[in-house]
Amino acid sequence: MLRGFKEFIMRGNLVELAVAFVMAVAFGVVVTKAVDVIMSLIGMVGGQPDFNAWRPGGIPLGALITAIVSFLILSAVVYFLIVVPYNKLKERQARGEEPAPPADDIKLLQEIRDILASRDQSGSGSGSGSSR
């Protein structure tokens, strides 16, 4: 019974999901703090960091406005910090834009290729020193 539980816990997908969850929680804290900072800046301009106290006619419209502003800020942070870079990366991969190897590496690989080709042409089976 414990062996099956261990196999379940150690499954790759479950571990990846747990890591994703932990990262999401940590990122959620960062986004929440970014919303707090921006709401504080709005408060400096408008006199208060949130609109919760505003109740025209006894209707709590201020809480709704605060929630909408917080949602828009949160959406902007997620969009500009996650979605835009992810889409740019996907576009680069789709176009096949991978970083080119340095010229020195290419030259070295060409020299190795040429040496191996010359060894094959001169008769690699004639016991030319290597017994591997």
Side-chain angles (χ1 to χ4, degrees):
M1 186 159 110
L2 289 176
R3 183 177 177 196
F5 180 70
K6 180 182 175 186
E7 289 174 5
F8 171 74
I9 292 297
M10 296 309 292
R11 230 183 254 169
N13 293 344
L14 187 61
V15 172
E16 291 170 3
L17 183 61
V19 169
F21 179 76
V22 169
M23 293 299 295
V25 169
F27 185 71
V29 172
V30 171
V31 171
T32 300
K33 295 305 175 187
V35 169
D36 291 344
V37 168
I38 294 171
M39 290 298 284
S40 295
L41 293 173
I42 291 172
M44 288 180 183
V45 173
Q48 61 184 21
D50 63 36
F51 309 102
N52 288 334
W54 187 52
R55 295 174 166 256
I59 301 171
L61 289 178
L64 177 63
I65 292 172
T66 299
I68 291 171
V69 171
S70 294
F71 173 76
L72 291 174
I73 294 169
L74 180 116
S75 299
V77 168
V78 168
Y79 179 75
F80 290 111
L81 293 182
I82 295 177
V83 174
V84 169
Y86 179 76
N87 286 341
K88 286 183 181 179
L89 176 66
K90 285 302 210 183
E91 287 174 9
R92 284 183 62 192
Q93 289 176 343
R95 289 191 304 246
E97 290 182 12
E98 296 298 325
D104 293 338
D105 291 350
I106 293 173
K107 185 177 178 183
L108 181 62
L109 289 171
Q110 288 172 339
E111 289 174 8
I112 293 170
R113 178 199 63 203
D114 295 342
I115 291 170
L116 290 174
S118 68
R119 287 177 77 190
D120 286 343
Q121 290 175 355
S122 66
S124 62
S126 62
S128 58
S130 176
S131 61
R132 289 186 200 175

